[in-house]
Every structure is written in structure tokens, then in C-alpha cells.
Amino acid sequence: MRLNQFISSSGLCSRRKVDVLIKEGKVTVNGNQISLGHVICEGDRVEVDGQLIKAKENDIYLMLNKPPGVTCTAASRIEGNIIDFVNYPERIFPVGRLDKQSEGLILLTNDGSIVNELLLEENNNEKDYMVTVDKKITAAFIDEMAKGVEIYNPRKKGNVLTKPCIVIQIDDNCFKITLSQGLNRQIRRMCRRFQINVTRLQRVRIKKLPLGTLALGEWRQLSKEEIAGLK
């Protein structure tokens, strides 16, 4: 197994972060500093900053119907963080984000190896959202949203055009949108381009995994079949 995969699957941090730690010389195998791409063998002693890394005995995969007001961070210093809310007895972290005001399906795990699979934009993983807004929806609005909208992207410090997507009107003030992107506050920013504000935003599907009937604020373990569908 590659070293970065072994460490990330332990739940310590993401593979990308592991690569940074390796470059900084903070990772050793059997007491020796190593380079990127290193492959470990059974019985190797892996340490990060002197901390022994052990393989997990069990992977944990949870789905939560996140309520508004919960912040999707594992940082304990942030009041109302998702880890304190779930209060799971083992170390887990959220996969991706839903902004604080939003609700719905979010995954938590101790398996760092699944993060890239679910979050990398080039994997084109679909996510469904139900969106309620403060103005009456028009056919022109649905059409423009589906074609792509120019919004501000904080990471690029400039405007970007969102990818074409599927948008279906539900009623006068609600629509369903299917995205394969995950830009910061994307749906809210898209709507604001039309002077429309989101009053409720709920994620209801990630890939083949629907939110289903899970109650707001509740969480459950994923089945083996659901985990396989995510991978």
C-alpha cells in the first residue's frame, strides 16, 4: 500500500496533507525519512511527527441529515461543529461541506481514501438539492440556471462560469438542481445573480445515495451496498 494512502486511511488527515508532511520530512518509515510515492510493507513502523500510525480495524461510514446551524468542520474550537453534534465515540470527519444555513445529506467517515473519490470535480459525482427561494420562479430563470451562471469563486478570486446542470421546477418557489460541481456557496451565489435569495437549501442525494426518510438531525451507519456505491 502507498504510504499516503495508509496514513490517510488511518484517519489522521487527507492524502494531500500527507504528501505535504512527507515533503516537510515529518514522516518516517522504520525510523527513516522517505520520499513521495513510497510503498510500505506489512510490519513497517510508520510515524508522523513521532506519532505512531496504526491501521484502522474498522472503517466507519455515517450519513447525517444535517440541520441548519451546524458547521461542517472537525475543528473543536468552532462552536456548533458537526463532530460535537454527532458525538460519535470514535474519530471521524465530514466529507465535503454544507454551509451552516443549509441542511440535508452529508457523510462522515474515518476513511481518508474515499475523500478524493467523492470530492474531486473531475469525477463528476452528482448531488441533488431541493431549493426554496423568496421570489416566484420563471421558466427563464430555470433555463439560465441550467445553462450555467457566472459567479464569484473565492479560491480563484474572480468570476467563473458554472457547469451546465439539470434544473427542474417543483412549484412557484421551489426547484431541484443536480450539480457535479462543489463551488463555495454555489447555489446561493447562482440565485443571487438573478436577485433571488435562497430561503431553504437541502441536499437530498450524493451519487447513488439518497437521503431517504432519515429525520432531520438524525444519523445512521451506511450499509455495505451503500458504501460500495460510493466507491
Side-chain angles (χ1 to χ4, degrees):
M1 179 185 294
R2 286 188 176 271
L3 178 61
N4 60 359
Q5 181 180 353
F6 173 78
I7 295 176
S8 67
S9 66
S10 76
L12 181 69
C13 57
S14 69
R15 277 196 236 186
R16 185 174 298 175
K17 177 61 176 177
V18 174
D19 289 342
V20 172
L21 293 171
I22 292 172
K23 289 178 181 178
E24 292 175 346
K26 296 180 179 180
V27 180
T28 61
V29 177
N30 301 325
N32 301 310
Q33 289 188 1
I34 41 70
S35 57
L36 292 174
H38 185 85
V39 176
I40 63 170
C41 301
E42 186 175 352
D44 281 348
R45 182 181 179 86
V46 177
E47 294 179 280
V48 176
D49 264 347
Q51 175 187 345
L52 179 64
I53 305 300
K54 296 181 180 180
K56 296 193 311 292
E57 293 183 3
N58 295 296
D59 286 329
I60 299 165
Y61 302 93
L62 310 179
M63 63 181 293
L64 166 70
N65 187 351
K66 186 189 90 67
V70 174
T71 302
C72 292
T73 179
S76 58
R77 68 181 183 278
I78 304 297
E79 185 177 355
N81 69 78
I82 196 170
I83 302 303
D84 287 346
F85 180 82
V86 173
N87 195 27
Y88 195 77
E90 298 183 49
R91 184 187 181 280
I92 54 175
F93 55 87
V95 180
R97 298 177 65 88
L98 277 174
D99 64 55
K100 188 173 181 179
Q101 304 100 311
S102 298
E103 61 186 89
L105 176 58
I106 187 163
L107 303 173
L108 299 104
T109 185
N110 62 349
D111 180 9
S113 66
I114 199 174
V115 174
N116 284 343
E117 170 59 35
L118 293 178
L119 298 186
L120 284 179
E121 186 174 321
E122 52 263 37
N123 289 338
N124 293 311
N125 292 323
E126 289 187 348
K127 301 178 181 69
D128 286 345
Y129 300 83
M130 299 296 294
V131 187
T132 304
V133 295
D134 64 350
K135 292 182 181 178
K136 186 174 181 180
I137 295 169
T138 65
F141 168 77
I142 295 294
D143 183 58
E144 291 298 317
M145 288 282 284
K147 287 192 296 187
V149 179
E150 190 176 271
I151 63 171
Y152 181 72
N153 184 349
R155 288 187 178 180
K156 295 185 178 296
K157 297 182 180 179
N159 288 349
V160 297
L161 183 66
T162 62
K163 290 181 177 180
C165 59
I166 299 171
V167 186
I168 300 172
Q169 184 168 350
I170 305 301
D171 58 35
D172 284 350
N173 295 92
C174 181
F175 63 91
K176 179 181 177 181
I177 185 169
T178 301
L179 299 179
S180 59
Q181 277 180 299
L183 301 179
N184 180 264
R185 299 176 68 84
Q186 178 172 344
I187 296 171
R188 296 181 189 275
R189 293 179 190 272
M190 291 172 72
C191 289
R192 279 204 294 268
R193 294 292 292 182
F194 302 93
Q195 290 75 53
I196 292 176
N197 296 309
V198 173
T199 58
R200 185 187 183 198
L201 195 157
Q202 179 191 38
R203 185 158 62 196
V204 295
R205 179 176 70 93
I206 298 175
K207 292 186 70 173
K208 297 180 181 179
L209 181 66
L211 178 63
T213 58
L214 188 66
L216 189 66
E218 297 294 316
W219 59 266
R220 67 170 177 82
Q221 301 271 2
L222 297 189
S223 67
K224 291 181 179 179
E225 291 75 19
E226 288 172 331
I227 295 168
L230 291 175
K231 294 183 175 181

